[in-house]
Amino acid sequence: MRRERGRAERLTEGLTVAVASVLSFVLLAVPALVFGATVRHLVTDTGTTVFSRLSAPVVLLALLALPLLLARVVFRSCRRKGSERLTAAVPAVLTLLGSSVVPFVALCLIVVYAD
């Protein structure tokens, strides 16, 4: 039996999803812009090897796509357990937020330790 959820509970879940989504996409947008410029520079720069021209975009794309894939897996898992859409979105978006910190930290480490 499903219990009826109150308006305050739905509102809390909705706000959690909205705020965490915005934060995670901001955290993903900054590395995406910087990594995109880096990839463009690597591909068009003379003197770079073919391996670096191919491997750098693949690694950077995987680093940015991983949080989205993880969030999708969590969302589908919650939906299979019978959760409503909004209820299933909360753990998924929190996973997205947590995993979007990884590319941001990677970018910060590159900036701090770059010569």
Side-chain angles (χ1 to χ4, degrees), residues 14-75:
L15 284 174
T16 302
V17 169
V19 170
S21 295
V22 168
L23 284 174
S24 63
F25 284 117
V26 166
L27 285 174
L28 282 175
V30 172
L33 291 172
V34 172
F35 289 158
T38 303
V39 167
R40 185 177 130 321
H41 185 272
L42 275 174
V43 170
T44 59
D45 191 24
T46 57
T48 56
T49 63
V50 174
F51 178 74
S52 65
R53 286 183 182 181
L54 294 176
S55 65
V58 170
V59 168
L60 297 176
L61 181 64
L63 190 62
L64 292 174
L66 184 65
L68 300 171
L69 293 174
L70 287 174
R72 183 171 187 257
V73 168
V74 170
F75 180 75

